[in-house]
Amino acid sequence: DAKTTQPNSMESNEEEPVHLPCNHSTISGTDYIHWYRQLPSQGPEYVIHGLTSNVNNRMASLAIAEDRKSSTLILHRATLRDAAVYYCILRDTQGGSEKLVFGKGMKLTVNP
Amino acid sequence: GAGVSQTPSNKVTEKGKYVELRCDPISGHTALYWYRQSLGQGPEFLIYFQGTGAADDSGLPNDRFFAVRPEGSVSTLKIQRTERGDSAVYLCASSLAGELAIGTDTQYFGPGTRLTVL
């Protein structure tokens, strides 16, 4: 599976936008970019995914670089509930296993 | 609606004992996954079921670990002769279509079972 690289941690302030970066320089043309997050003492939860075009949903936006070697998860107005570990994951669509390969993720701290 | 549930939420056992961990997936989800998470690490894949069959068991660390899903719904992860290194949070997830969604399926996770081996 192609790997992703994220900062270990980031801090943001409540009600401000926050941009969470992810590098995936070895991404293949058939890999989807997925983001999950894990709140304290909970299982991971899905945030968003995309292939080539930028994506928006009620939780966040995903901006994908033109060469697809990096992406950014955008939380438009961070709240205290967004404090979590965020995982950027690549998923192969060409007959690969359905497993999610998590790295260590990036811990987001939201300051009141 | 009801999400993925896991029982027990906590399990404390002694080294060498046998344990079973149960997962109830979301109704109608054909795919089921087991992961385990050690402190400070991301979840690590163990096994994936599509229906009743184990489609990928490449993550099971050794033959002490076994999982079943006999009717394509509830799954049980079984660990024999537990060791202290097995202590972790065991997470279960389910998804609607699994491999049929070709890498785009959303996985829904349960709260996990915290296993402590003394």
Side-chain angles (χ1 to χ4, degrees), chain B residues 55-79:
Chain B
D56 182 355
D57 65 357
S58 62
L60 295 177
N62 51 60
D63 61 6
R64 294 187 297 106
F65 287 74
F66 189 71
V68 295
R69 194 186 185 200
E71 297 178 357
S73 177
V74 171
S75 176
T76 305
L77 178 66
K78 308 181 181 193
I79 310 174

mmCIF file with all atom_site columns, all heavy atoms in Angstrom, chain B residues 55-79:
data_model
loop_
_atom_site.group_PDB
_atom_site.id
_atom_site.type_symbol
_atom_site.label_atom_id
_atom_site.label_alt_id
_atom_site.label_comp_id
_atom_site.label_asym_id
_atom_site.label_entity_id
_atom_site.label_seq_id
_atom_site.pdbx_PDB_ins_code
_atom_site.Cartn_x
_atom_site.Cartn_y
_atom_site.Cartn_z
_atom_site.occupancy
_atom_site.B_iso_or_equiv
_atom_site.pdbx_formal_charge
_atom_site.auth_seq_id
_atom_site.auth_comp_id
_atom_site.auth_asym_id
_atom_site.auth_atom_id
_atom_site.pdbx_PDB_model_num
ATOM 1   N N   . ALA B 1 55 ? -12.122 -13.008 3.734  1.00 0.00 ? 55 ALA B N   1
ATOM 2   C CA  . ALA B 1 55 ? -11.536 -12.640 2.448  1.00 0.00 ? 55 ALA B CA  1
ATOM 3   C C   . ALA B 1 55 ? -10.068 -12.263 2.566  1.00 0.00 ? 55 ALA B C   1
ATOM 4   O O   . ALA B 1 55 ? -9.317  -12.346 1.593  1.00 0.00 ? 55 ALA B O   1
ATOM 5   C CB  . ALA B 1 55 ? -12.330 -11.494 1.824  1.00 0.00 ? 55 ALA B CB  1
ATOM 6   N N   . ASP B 1 56 ? -9.672  -11.812 3.756  1.00 0.00 ? 56 ASP B N   1
ATOM 7   C CA  . ASP B 1 56 ? -8.278  -11.412 3.973  1.00 0.00 ? 56 ASP B CA  1
ATOM 8   C C   . ASP B 1 56 ? -7.977  -11.581 5.455  1.00 0.00 ? 56 ASP B C   1
ATOM 9   O O   . ASP B 1 56 ? -8.524  -10.865 6.268  1.00 0.00 ? 56 ASP B O   1
ATOM 10  C CB  . ASP B 1 56 ? -8.077  -9.957  3.542  1.00 0.00 ? 56 ASP B CB  1
ATOM 11  C CG  . ASP B 1 56 ? -6.639  -9.477  3.702  1.00 0.00 ? 56 ASP B CG  1
ATOM 12  O OD1 . ASP B 1 56 ? -5.792  -10.234 4.229  1.00 0.00 ? 56 ASP B OD1 1
ATOM 13  O OD2 . ASP B 1 56 ? -6.349  -8.325  3.312  1.00 0.00 ? 56 ASP B OD2 1
ATOM 14  N N   . ASP B 1 57 ? -7.149  -12.552 5.783  1.00 0.00 ? 57 ASP B N   1
ATOM 15  C CA  . ASP B 1 57 ? -6.756  -12.754 7.184  1.00 0.00 ? 57 ASP B CA  1
ATOM 16  C C   . ASP B 1 57 ? -5.268  -12.504 7.372  1.00 0.00 ? 57 ASP B C   1
ATOM 17  O O   . ASP B 1 57 ? -4.658  -13.013 8.308  1.00 0.00 ? 57 ASP B O   1
ATOM 18  C CB  . ASP B 1 57 ? -7.154  -14.141 7.680  1.00 0.00 ? 57 ASP B CB  1
ATOM 19  C CG  . ASP B 1 57 ? -6.420  -15.255 6.952  1.00 0.00 ? 57 ASP B CG  1
ATOM 20  O OD1 . ASP B 1 57 ? -5.642  -14.945 6.019  1.00 0.00 ? 57 ASP B OD1 1
ATOM 21  O OD2 . ASP B 1 57 ? -6.621  -16.429 7.290  1.00 0.00 ? 57 ASP B OD2 1
ATOM 22  N N   . SER B 1 58 ? -4.694  -11.714 6.479  1.00 0.00 ? 58 SER B N   1
ATOM 23  C CA  . SER B 1 58 ? -3.248  -11.508 6.486  1.00 0.00 ? 58 SER B CA  1
ATOM 24  C C   . SER B 1 58 ? -2.744  -10.769 7.713  1.00 0.00 ? 58 SER B C   1
ATOM 25  O O   . SER B 1 58 ? -1.553  -10.784 8.003  1.00 0.00 ? 58 SER B O   1
ATOM 26  C CB  . SER B 1 58 ? -2.827  -10.747 5.224  1.00 0.00 ? 58 SER B CB  1
ATOM 27  O OG  . SER B 1 58 ? -3.437  -9.470  5.199  1.00 0.00 ? 58 SER B OG  1
ATOM 28  N N   . GLY B 1 59 ? -3.626  -10.107 8.451  1.00 0.00 ? 59 GLY B N   1
ATOM 29  C CA  . GLY B 1 59 ? -3.199  -9.342  9.608  1.00 0.00 ? 59 GLY B CA  1
ATOM 30  C C   . GLY B 1 59 ? -3.184  -10.116 10.914 1.00 0.00 ? 59 GLY B C   1
ATOM 31  O O   . GLY B 1 59 ? -2.686  -9.615  11.921 1.00 0.00 ? 59 GLY B O   1
ATOM 32  N N   . LEU B 1 60 ? -3.722  -11.317 10.923 1.00 0.00 ? 60 LEU B N   1
ATOM 33  C CA  . LEU B 1 60 ? -3.705  -12.107 12.163 1.00 0.00 ? 60 LEU B CA  1
ATOM 34  C C   . LEU B 1 60 ? -2.254  -12.408 12.524 1.00 0.00 ? 60 LEU B C   1
ATOM 35  O O   . LEU B 1 60 ? -1.513  -12.964 11.710 1.00 0.00 ? 60 LEU B O   1
ATOM 36  C CB  . LEU B 1 60 ? -4.491  -13.395 11.992 1.00 0.00 ? 60 LEU B CB  1
ATOM 37  C CG  . LEU B 1 60 ? -5.995  -13.241 11.758 1.00 0.00 ? 60 LEU B CG  1
ATOM 38  C CD1 . LEU B 1 60 ? -6.646  -14.591 11.542 1.00 0.00 ? 60 LEU B CD1 1
ATOM 39  C CD2 . LEU B 1 60 ? -6.648  -12.505 12.912 1.00 0.00 ? 60 LEU B CD2 1
ATOM 40  N N   . PRO B 1 61 ? -1.817  -12.057 13.728 1.00 0.00 ? 61 PRO B N   1
ATOM 41  C CA  . PRO B 1 61 ? -0.385  -12.146 14.060 1.00 0.00 ? 61 PRO B CA  1
ATOM 42  C C   . PRO B 1 61 ? 0.146   -13.565 14.171 1.00 0.00 ? 61 PRO B C   1
ATOM 43  O O   . PRO B 1 61 ? 1.322   -13.796 13.893 1.00 0.00 ? 61 PRO B O   1
ATOM 44  C CB  . PRO B 1 61 ? -0.282  -11.410 15.402 1.00 0.00 ? 61 PRO B CB  1
ATOM 45  C CG  . PRO B 1 61 ? -1.663  -11.394 15.956 1.00 0.00 ? 61 PRO B CG  1
ATOM 46  C CD  . PRO B 1 61 ? -2.596  -11.437 14.817 1.00 0.00 ? 61 PRO B CD  1
ATOM 47  N N   . ASN B 1 62 ? -0.664  -14.494 14.576 1.00 0.00 ? 62 ASN B N   1
ATOM 48  C CA  . ASN B 1 62 ? -0.225  -15.892 14.694 1.00 0.00 ? 62 ASN B CA  1
ATOM 49  C C   . ASN B 1 62 ? -1.455  -16.784 14.856 1.00 0.00 ? 62 ASN B C   1
ATOM 50  O O   . ASN B 1 62 ? -2.593  -16.291 14.833 1.00 0.00 ? 62 ASN B O   1
ATOM 51  C CB  . ASN B 1 62 ? 0.719   -16.049 15.901 1.00 0.00 ? 62 ASN B CB  1
ATOM 52  C CG  . ASN B 1 62 ? 0.128   -15.463 17.164 1.00 0.00 ? 62 ASN B CG  1
ATOM 53  O OD1 . ASN B 1 62 ? -0.934  -15.883 17.605 1.00 0.00 ? 62 ASN B OD1 1
ATOM 54  N ND2 . ASN B 1 62 ? 0.807   -14.472 17.734 1.00 0.00 ? 62 ASN B ND2 1
ATOM 55  N N   . ASP B 1 63 ? -1.213  -18.081 14.998 1.00 0.00 ? 63 ASP B N   1
ATOM 56  C CA  . ASP B 1 63 ? -2.342  -19.016 15.014 1.00 0.00 ? 63 ASP B CA  1
ATOM 57  C C   . ASP B 1 63 ? -3.089  -19.028 16.344 1.00 0.00 ? 63 ASP B C   1
ATOM 58  O O   . ASP B 1 63 ? -4.026  -19.815 16.524 1.00 0.00 ? 63 ASP B O   1
ATOM 59  C CB  . ASP B 1 63 ? -1.885  -20.424 14.633 1.00 0.00 ? 63 ASP B CB  1
ATOM 60  C CG  . ASP B 1 63 ? -0.852  -20.984 15.594 1.00 0.00 ? 63 ASP B CG  1
ATOM 61  O OD1 . ASP B 1 63 ? -0.562  -20.325 16.620 1.00 0.00 ? 63 ASP B OD1 1
ATOM 62  O OD2 . ASP B 1 63 ? -0.316  -22.070 15.324 1.00 0.00 ? 63 ASP B OD2 1
ATOM 63  N N   . ARG B 1 64 ? -2.720  -18.179 17.272 1.00 0.00 ? 64 ARG B N   1
ATOM 64  C CA  . ARG B 1 64 ? -3.529  -18.075 18.501 1.00 0.00 ? 64 ARG B CA  1
ATOM 65  C C   . ARG B 1 64 ? -4.789  -17.242 18.258 1.00 0.00 ? 64 ARG B C   1
ATOM 66  O O   . ARG B 1 64 ? -5.716  -17.274 19.056 1.00 0.00 ? 64 ARG B O   1
ATOM 67  C CB  . ARG B 1 64 ? -2.710  -17.431 19.622 1.00 0.00 ? 64 ARG B CB  1
ATOM 68  C CG  . ARG B 1 64 ? -1.520  -18.266 20.086 1.00 0.00 ? 64 ARG B CG  1
ATOM 69  C CD  . ARG B 1 64 ? -0.867  -17.642 21.319 1.00 0.00 ? 64 ARG B CD  1
ATOM 70  N NE  . ARG B 1 64 ? -0.319  -16.313 21.050 1.00 0.00 ? 64 ARG B NE  1
ATOM 71  C CZ  . ARG B 1 64 ? -0.866  -15.182 21.465 1.00 0.00 ? 64 ARG B CZ  1
ATOM 72  N NH1 . ARG B 1 64 ? -1.989  -15.209 22.174 1.00 0.00 ? 64 ARG B NH1 1
ATOM 73  N NH2 . ARG B 1 64 ? -0.287  -14.027 21.178 1.00 0.00 ? 64 ARG B NH2 1
ATOM 74  N N   . PHE B 1 65 ? -4.770  -16.489 17.159 1.00 0.00 ? 65 PHE B N   1
ATOM 75  C CA  . PHE B 1 65 ? -5.883  -15.613 16.836 1.00 0.00 ? 65 PHE B CA  1
ATOM 76  C C   . PHE B 1 65 ? -6.748  -16.271 15.765 1.00 0.00 ? 65 PHE B C   1
ATOM 77  O O   . PHE B 1 65 ? -6.239  -16.764 14.751 1.00 0.00 ? 65 PHE B O   1
ATOM 78  C CB  . PHE B 1 65 ? -5.378  -14.269 16.303 1.00 0.00 ? 65 PHE B CB  1
ATOM 79  C CG  . PHE B 1 65 ? -4.768  -13.388 17.346 1.00 0.00 ? 65 PHE B CG  1
ATOM 80  C CD1 . PHE B 1 65 ? -3.504  -13.668 17.853 1.00 0.00 ? 65 PHE B CD1 1
ATOM 81  C CD2 . PHE B 1 65 ? -5.445  -12.270 17.817 1.00 0.00 ? 65 PHE B CD2 1
ATOM 82  C CE1 . PHE B 1 65 ? -2.932  -12.856 18.825 1.00 0.00 ? 65 PHE B CE1 1
ATOM 83  C CE2 . PHE B 1 65 ? -4.887  -11.449 18.779 1.00 0.00 ? 65 PHE B CE2 1
ATOM 84  C CZ  . PHE B 1 65 ? -3.622  -11.743 19.285 1.00 0.00 ? 65 PHE B CZ  1
ATOM 85  N N   . PHE B 1 66 ? -8.067  -16.227 15.985 1.00 0.00 ? 66 PHE B N   1
ATOM 86  C CA  . PHE B 1 66 ? -8.992  -16.810 15.030 1.00 0.00 ? 66 PHE B CA  1
ATOM 87  C C   . PHE B 1 66 ? -10.292 -16.023 15.086 1.00 0.00 ? 66 PHE B C   1
ATOM 88  O O   . PHE B 1 66 ? -10.673 -15.527 16.135 1.00 0.00 ? 66 PHE B O   1
ATOM 89  C CB  . PHE B 1 66 ? -9.246  -18.285 15.393 1.00 0.00 ? 66 PHE B CB  1
ATOM 90  C CG  . PHE B 1 66 ? -10.017 -19.041 14.360 1.00 0.00 ? 66 PHE B CG  1
ATOM 91  C CD1 . PHE B 1 66 ? -9.436  -19.367 13.146 1.00 0.00 ? 66 PHE B CD1 1
ATOM 92  C CD2 . PHE B 1 66 ? -11.317 -19.437 14.597 1.00 0.00 ? 66 PHE B CD2 1
ATOM 93  C CE1 . PHE B 1 66 ? -10.138 -20.068 12.183 1.00 0.00 ? 66 PHE B CE1 1
ATOM 94  C CE2 . PHE B 1 66 ? -12.035 -20.137 13.643 1.00 0.00 ? 66 PHE B CE2 1
ATOM 95  C CZ  . PHE B 1 66 ? -11.444 -20.450 12.430 1.00 0.00 ? 66 PHE B CZ  1
ATOM 96  N N   . ALA B 1 67 ? -10.960 -15.865 13.960 1.00 0.00 ? 67 ALA B N   1
ATOM 97  C CA  . ALA B 1 67 ? -12.231 -15.149 13.945 1.00 0.00 ? 67 ALA B CA  1
ATOM 98  C C   . ALA B 1 67 ? -13.220 -15.902 13.083 1.00 0.00 ? 67 ALA B C   1
ATOM 99  O O   . ALA B 1 67 ? -12.845 -16.554 12.107 1.00 0.00 ? 67 ALA B O   1
ATOM 100 C CB  . ALA B 1 67 ? -12.053 -13.723 13.423 1.00 0.00 ? 67 ALA B CB  1
ATOM 101 N N   . VAL B 1 68 ? -14.490 -15.800 13.464 1.00 0.00 ? 68 VAL B N   1
ATOM 102 C CA  . VAL B 1 68 ? -15.550 -16.455 12.715 1.00 0.00 ? 68 VAL B CA  1
ATOM 103 C C   . VAL B 1 68 ? -16.703 -15.490 12.501 1.00 0.00 ? 68 VAL B C   1
ATOM 104 O O   . VAL B 1 68 ? -16.892 -14.539 13.265 1.00 0.00 ? 68 VAL B O   1
ATOM 105 C CB  . VAL B 1 68 ? -16.059 -17.727 13.442 1.00 0.00 ? 68 VAL B CB  1
ATOM 106 C CG1 . VAL B 1 68 ? -14.961 -18.773 13.503 1.00 0.00 ? 68 VAL B CG1 1
ATOM 107 C CG2 . VAL B 1 68 ? -16.576 -17.389 14.831 1.00 0.00 ? 68 VAL B CG2 1
ATOM 108 N N   . ARG B 1 69 ? -17.483 -15.803 11.488 1.00 0.00 ? 69 ARG B N   1
ATOM 109 C CA  . ARG B 1 69 ? -18.696 -15.030 11.200 1.00 0.00 ? 69 ARG B CA  1
ATOM 110 C C   . ARG B 1 69 ? -19.680 -15.994 10.535 1.00 0.00 ? 69 ARG B C   1
ATOM 111 O O   . ARG B 1 69 ? -19.969 -15.893 9.356  1.00 0.00 ? 69 ARG B O   1
ATOM 112 C CB  . ARG B 1 69 ? -18.366 -13.852 10.274 1.00 0.00 ? 69 ARG B CB  1
ATOM 113 C CG  . ARG B 1 69 ? -19.473 -12.817 10.202 1.00 0.00 ? 69 ARG B CG  1
ATOM 114 C CD  . ARG B 1 69 ? -19.162 -11.759 9.159  1.00 0.00 ? 69 ARG B CD  1
ATOM 115 N NE  . ARG B 1 69 ? -20.172 -10.705 9.181  1.00 0.00 ? 69 ARG B NE  1
ATOM 116 C CZ  . ARG B 1 69 ? -20.380 -9.876  8.170  1.00 0.00 ? 69 ARG B CZ  1
ATOM 117 N NH1 . ARG B 1 69 ? -19.672 -9.975  7.046  1.00 0.00 ? 69 ARG B NH1 1
ATOM 118 N NH2 . ARG B 1 69 ? -21.308 -8.943  8.251  1.00 0.00 ? 69 ARG B NH2 1
ATOM 119 N N   . PRO B 1 70 ? -20.183 -16.948 11.292 1.00 0.00 ? 70 PRO B N   1
ATOM 120 C CA  . PRO B 1 70 ? -20.886 -18.116 10.723 1.00 0.00 ? 70 PRO B CA  1
ATOM 121 C C   . PRO B 1 70 ? -22.145 -17.800 9.929  1.00 0.00 ? 70 PRO B C   1
ATOM 122 O O   . PRO B 1 70 ? -22.482 -18.538 8.999  1.00 0.00 ? 70 PRO B O   1
ATOM 123 C CB  . PRO B 1 70 ? -21.204 -18.967 11.958 1.00 0.00 ? 70 PRO B CB  1
ATOM 124 C CG  . PRO B 1 70 ? -21.140 -18.025 13.116 1.00 0.00 ? 70 PRO B CG  1
ATOM 125 C CD  . PRO B 1 70 ? -20.104 -16.997 12.745 1.00 0.00 ? 70 PRO B CD  1
ATOM 126 N N   . GLU B 1 71 ? -22.862 -16.751 10.274 1.00 0.00 ? 71 GLU B N   1
ATOM 127 C CA  . GLU B 1 71 ? -24.112 -16.462 9.571  1.00 0.00 ? 71 GLU B CA  1
ATOM 128 C C   . GLU B 1 71 ? -24.032 -15.152 8.801  1.00 0.00 ? 71 GLU B C   1
ATOM 129 O O   . GLU B 1 71 ? -25.058 -14.626 8.376  1.00 0.00 ? 71 GLU B O   1
ATOM 130 C CB  . GLU B 1 71 ? -25.268 -16.450 10.571 1.00 0.00 ? 71 GLU B CB  1
ATOM 131 C CG  . GLU B 1 71 ? -25.479 -17.806 11.232 1.00 0.00 ? 71 GLU B CG  1
ATOM 132 C CD  . GLU B 1 71 ? -26.599 -17.787 12.263 1.00 0.00 ? 71 GLU B CD  1
ATOM 133 O OE1 . GLU B 1 71 ? -27.170 -16.715 12.510 1.00 0.00 ? 71 GLU B OE1 1
ATOM 134 O OE2 . GLU B 1 71 ? -26.873 -18.861 12.817 1.00 0.00 ? 71 GLU B OE2 1
ATOM 135 N N   . GLY B 1 72 ? -22.839 -14.633 8.659  1.00 0.00 ? 72 GLY B N   1
ATOM 136 C CA  . GLY B 1 72 ? -22.660 -13.418 7.877  1.00 0.00 ? 72 GLY B CA  1
ATOM 137 C C   . GLY B 1 72 ? -23.093 -12.157 8.590  1.00 0.00 ? 72 GLY B C   1
ATOM 138 O O   . GLY B 1 72 ? -23.226 -11.106 7.952  1.00 0.00 ? 72 GLY B O   1
ATOM 139 N N   . SER B 1 73 ? -23.279 -12.248 9.912  1.00 0.00 ? 73 SER B N   1
ATOM 140 C CA  . SER B 1 73 ? -23.654 -11.056 10.663 1.00 0.00 ? 73 SER B CA  1
ATOM 141 C C   . SER B 1 73 ? -22.689 -10.885 11.833 1.00 0.00 ? 73 SER B C   1
ATOM 142 O O   . SER B 1 73 ? -21.606 -10.340 11.652 1.00 0.00 ? 73 SER B O   1
ATOM 143 C CB  . SER B 1 73 ? -25.095 -11.157 11.150 1.00 0.00 ? 73 SER B CB  1
ATOM 144 O OG  . SER B 1 73 ? -25.445 -10.040 11.927 1.00 0.00 ? 73 SER B OG  1
ATOM 145 N N   . VAL B 1 74 ? -23.042 -11.402 12.994 1.00 0.00 ? 74 VAL B N   1
ATOM 146 C CA  . VAL B 1 74 ? -22.193 -11.290 14.186 1.00 0.00 ? 74 VAL B CA  1
ATOM 147 C C   . VAL B 1 74 ? -20.865 -12.010 13.951 1.00 0.00 ? 74 VAL B C   1
ATOM 148 O O   . VAL B 1 74 ? -20.806 -13.050 13.296 1.00 0.00 ? 74 VAL B O   1
ATOM 149 C CB  . VAL B 1 74 ? -22.911 -11.899 15.397 1.00 0.00 ? 74 VAL B CB  1
ATOM 150 C CG1 . VAL B 1 74 ? -21.982 -12.012 16.592 1.00 0.00 ? 74 VAL B CG1 1
ATOM 151 C CG2 . VAL B 1 74 ? -24.147 -11.082 15.736 1.00 0.00 ? 74 VAL B CG2 1
ATOM 152 N N   . SER B 1 75 ? -19.813 -11.414 14.497 1.00 0.00 ? 75 SER B N   1
ATOM 153 C CA  . SER B 1 75 ? -18.492 -12.041 14.402 1.00 0.00 ? 75 SER B CA  1
ATOM 154 C C   . SER B 1 75 ? -17.888 -12.160 15.794 1.00 0.00 ? 75 SER B C   1
ATOM 155 O O   . SER B 1 75 ? -18.156 -11.345 16.678 1.00 0.00 ? 75 SER B O   1
ATOM 156 C CB  . SER B 1 75 ? -17.570 -11.209 13.510 1.00 0.00 ? 75 SER B CB  1
ATOM 157 O OG  . SER B 1 75 ? -16.272 -11.753 13.474 1.00 0.00 ? 75 SER B OG  1
ATOM 158 N N   . THR B 1 76 ? -17.075 -13.184 15.970 1.00 0.00 ? 76 THR B N   1
ATOM 159 C CA  . THR B 1 76 ? -16.361 -13.391 17.220 1.00 0.00 ? 76 THR B CA  1
ATOM 160 C C   . THR B 1 76 ? -14.876 -13.514 16.929 1.00 0.00 ? 76 THR B C   1
ATOM 161 O O   . THR B 1 76 ? -14.474 -14.297 16.063 1.00 0.00 ? 76 THR B O   1
ATOM 162 C CB  . THR B 1 76 ? -16.843 -14.665 17.938 1.00 0.00 ? 76 THR B CB  1
ATOM 163 O OG1 . THR B 1 76 ? -18.258 -14.607 18.123 1.00 0.00 ? 76 THR B OG1 1
ATOM 164 C CG2 . THR B 1 76 ? -16.171 -14.804 19.299 1.00 0.00 ? 76 THR B CG2 1
ATOM 165 N N   . LEU B 1 77 ? -14.088 -12.737 17.627 1.00 0.00 ? 77 LEU B N   1
ATOM 166 C CA  . LEU B 1 77 ? -12.629 -12.849 17.564 1.00 0.00 ? 77 LEU B CA  1
ATOM 167 C C   . LEU B 1 77 ? -12.192 -13.679 18.768 1.00 0.00 ? 77 LEU B C   1
ATOM 168 O O   . LEU B 1 77 ? -12.563 -13.368 19.906 1.00 0.00 ? 77 LEU B O   1
ATOM 169 C CB  . LEU B 1 77 ? -11.979 -11.470 17.601 1.00 0.00 ? 77 LEU B CB  1
ATOM 170 C CG  . LEU B 1 77 ? -10.449 -11.431 17.583 1.00 0.00 ? 77 LEU B CG  1
ATOM 171 C CD1 . LEU B 1 77 ? -9.905  -11.951 16.253 1.00 0.00 ? 77 LEU B CD1 1
ATOM 172 C CD2 . LEU B 1 77 ? -9.938  -10.010 17.835 1.00 0.00 ? 77 LEU B CD2 1
ATOM 173 N N   . LYS B 1 78 ? -11.443 -14.725 18.502 1.00 0.00 ? 78 LYS B N   1
ATOM 174 C CA  . LYS B 1 78 ? -11.046 -15.649 19.560 1.00 0.00 ? 78 LYS B CA  1
ATOM 175 C C   . LYS B 1 78 ? -9.527  -15.611 19.714 1.00 0.00 ? 78 LYS B C   1
ATOM 176 O O   . LYS B 1 78 ? -8.802  -15.694 18.714 1.00 0.00 ? 78 LYS B O   1
ATOM 177 C CB  . LYS B 1 78 ? -11.493 -17.062 19.213 1.00 0.00 ? 78 LYS B CB  1
ATOM 178 C CG  . LYS B 1 78 ? -12.977 -17.151 18.847 1.00 0.00 ? 78 LYS B CG  1
ATOM 179 C CD  . LYS B 1 78 ? -13.420 -18.544 18.520 1.00 0.00 ? 78 LYS B CD  1
ATOM 180 C CE  . LYS B 1 78 ? -14.899 -18.556 18.130 1.00 0.00 ? 78 LYS B CE  1
ATOM 181 N NZ  . LYS B 1 78 ? -15.457 -19.922 18.103 1.00 0.00 ? 78 LYS B NZ  1
ATOM 182 N N   . ILE B 1 79 ? -9.070  -15.491 20.931 1.00 0.00 ? 79 ILE B N   1
ATOM 183 C CA  . ILE B 1 79 ? -7.633  -15.481 21.204 1.00 0.00 ? 79 ILE B CA  1
ATOM 184 C C   . ILE B 1 79 ? -7.333  -16.574 22.213 1.00 0.00 ? 79 ILE B C   1
ATOM 185 O O   . ILE B 1 79 ? -7.855  -16.579 23.329 1.00 0.00 ? 79 ILE B O   1
ATOM 186 C CB  . ILE B 1 79 ? -7.161  -14.112 21.753 1.00 0.00 ? 79 ILE B CB  1
ATOM 187 C CG1 . ILE B 1 79 ? -7.671  -12.964 20.875 1.00 0.00 ? 79 ILE B CG1 1
ATOM 188 C CG2 . ILE B 1 79 ? -5.637  -14.092 21.822 1.00 0.00 ? 79 ILE B CG2 1
ATOM 189 C CD1 . ILE B 1 79 ? -7.364  -11.585 21.427 1.00 0.00 ? 79 ILE B CD1 1
#
